[in-house]
């Protein structure tokens, strides 16, 4: 089942990673089976992304060795990710998920963000300006000596 908006809000780093993975044409699911924080699948391959923020410190042996081994025995690929890495370079993790799933990144355009991804606060209209901007006018407005 999918996480609600509030759940995604609480785990913004994982939500950002999921968005980056989706942009690589890979399916993602939050809280899969309520015990797997993020799973990604492509074709007949699936990977579980386990950030260290979900590790149960009351039983580290289970969390670090037994649980990943159990998941792998059931056919999942397991990708453990540190919270620092998730914060510092989420795009590298998205690429690692894609590689783990066997997705060829050479054949896909890798533009991660486009105009539709902009939040309203980042638009000209939010700042009380015209939506089209004045870029073209500035390009055309050359001093006379430029000829």
């Amino acid at each position: 089942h999918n996480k609600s908006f509030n759940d995604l809000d609480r785990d913004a780093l994982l939500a950002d990673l999921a968005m980056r993975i989706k942009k690589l044409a890979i399916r993602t699911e939050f809280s899969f089976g309520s015990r797997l924080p993020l799973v990604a699948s492509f074709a007949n391959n699936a990977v579980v992304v386990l950030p260290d923020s979900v590790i149960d410190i009351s039983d580290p042996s289970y969390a670090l060795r037994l649980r990943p081994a159990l998941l792998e025995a059931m056919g999942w690929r397991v990708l453990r990710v540190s919270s620092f890495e998730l914060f510092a370079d989420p795009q590298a993790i998205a690429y690692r998920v894609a590689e783990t799933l066997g997705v060829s990144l050479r054949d896909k355009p890798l533009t991660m963000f486009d105009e539709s991804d902009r939040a309203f606060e980042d638009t000209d209209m939010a700042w009380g300006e015209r939506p089209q901007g004045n870029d073209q006018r500035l390009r055309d407005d050359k001093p006379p000596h430029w000829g």
Side-chain angles (χ1 to χ4, degrees):
H1 88 76
N2 291 330
K3 278 190 172 186
S4 71
F5 180 74
N6 290 336
D7 290 338
L8 294 177
D9 235 11
R10 277 184 252 149
D11 202 344
L13 294 176
L14 216 49
D16 177 69
L17 177 62
M19 181 208 48
R20 292 170 186 273
I21 294 170
K22 283 181 184 178
K23 290 211 176 250
L24 296 172
I26 298 170
R27 183 174 180 218
T28 62
E29 291 287 330
F30 279 100
S31 293
F32 189 79
S34 76
R35 302 278 324 259
L36 304 176
L38 177 65
V39 298
S41 62
F42 184 81
N44 290 331
N45 298 318
V47 66
V48 178
V49 178
L50 292 176
D52 61 7
S53 60
V54 300
I55 292 176
D56 182 10
I57 58 171
S58 67
D59 192 358
S61 176
Y62 172 76
L64 297 173
R65 286 187 314 109
L66 298 176
R67 186 172 184 219
L70 177 64
L71 289 168
E72 288 173 355
M74 293 185 333
W76 292 92
R77 293 183 177 151
V78 177
L79 183 63
R80 288 194 44 223
V81 177
S82 74
S83 293
F84 176 76
E85 188 179 17
L86 190 57
F87 174 77
D89 196 356
Q91 194 59 48
I93 297 172
Y95 289 156
R96 195 169 351 141
V97 168
E99 290 169 1
T100 302
L101 292 170
V103 175
S104 173
L105 297 177
R106 294 181 198 163
D107 302 336
K108 296 186 183 309
L110 295 179
T111 55
M112 297 310 296
F113 298 98
D114 56 18
E115 198 64 30
S116 65
D117 291 333
R118 288 178 68 186
F120 176 73
E121 296 82 28
D122 295 333
T123 64
D124 294 335
M125 291 186 65
W127 291 91
E129 297 174 4
R130 292 178 290 162
Q132 65 270 22
N134 64 351
D135 291 345
Q136 189 58 44
R137 182 187 64 79
L138 291 172
R139 281 188 209 102
D140 295 338
D141 192 16
K142 298 177 183 169
H145 66 278
W146 283 13

